[in-house]
């Protein structure tokens, strides 16, 4: 567990797409996190939602992903996400896994705050959902 004062930036696919589209506010948040020596977090399922593998915009996204701790969506996280989905009566495994890689106090950059809020409540995560 991290110390209480550490705030990690957690990025959903909307945040990655915003970086790909060169959204200045999202790039500022990423750079501020890195300057504070806080490595942003996401997971492989989120990358799969945003990655298409070609073109200059994907090069921008690849550069951003080099600075992100992309966690595996493995058996343990998949099971935990499924359990969270059952408890929250939701269906998006990528969203559930993203909430589960967050910790209390983290900031989740998301294009879907309405989808993540019930998951974060059921998971007991005290996070700030910031729309992108």
């Amino acid at each position: 567990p991290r110390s209480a004062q550490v705030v990690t930036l957690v990025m959903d696919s909307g945040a990655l797409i915003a970086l790909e589209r060169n959204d200045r506010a999202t790039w500022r948040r990423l750079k501020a996190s890195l300057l504070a020596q806080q490595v942003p977090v996401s997971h492989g399922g989120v990358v799969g939602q945003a990655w298409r593998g070609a073109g200059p915009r994907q090069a921008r996204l690849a550069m951003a992903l080099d600075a992100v701790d992309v966690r595996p969506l493995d058996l343990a996280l998949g099971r935990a996400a499924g359990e969270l989905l059952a408890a929250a009566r939701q269906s998006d495994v990528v969203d559930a896994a993203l909430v589960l890689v967050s910790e209390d106090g983290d900031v989740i950059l998301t294009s879907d705050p309405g989808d993540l809020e019930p998951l974060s409540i059921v998971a007991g995560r005290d996070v700030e959902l910031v729309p992108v």
Side-chain angles (χ1 to χ4, degrees), residues 40-126:
V41 173
S42 193
H43 68 73
V46 170
V47 174
Q49 289 181 325
W51 187 260
R52 296 298 176 261
R57 287 169 59 171
Q58 288 282 278
R60 196 177 298 131
L61 178 56
M63 184 176 70
L65 286 171
D66 283 344
V68 177
D69 176 11
V70 179
R71 309 255 172 95
L73 182 46
D74 58 9
L75 179 62
L77 183 56
R79 283 182 171 172
E83 291 169 8
L84 175 56
L85 290 172
R89 296 184 171 184
Q90 300 285 326
S91 62
D92 190 322
V93 70
V94 173
D95 285 350
L98 189 71
V99 167
L100 292 173
V101 300
S102 72
E103 294 186 18
D104 286 346
D106 286 352
V107 171
I108 300 179
L109 288 185
T110 178
S111 57
D112 298 314
D115 291 345
L116 295 182
E117 184 175 21
L119 292 166
S120 63
I121 290 169
V122 171
R125 296 294 199 279
D126 182 16

Side-chain angles (χ1 to χ4, degrees), residues 10-21:
V10 181
M11 307 183 88
D12 85 347
S13 59
L16 296 183
I17 291 166
L19 291 169
E20 179 187 50
R21 292 180 177 162

Side-chain angles (χ1 to χ4, degrees), residues 15-37:
L16 296 183
I17 291 166
L19 291 169
E20 179 187 50
R21 292 180 177 162
N22 209 22
D23 177 76
R24 293 189 189 281
T26 307
W27 274 105
R28 277 194 300 272
R29 283 189 176 276
L30 176 62
K31 288 178 182 177
S33 180
L34 295 171
L35 287 171
Q37 298 184 334

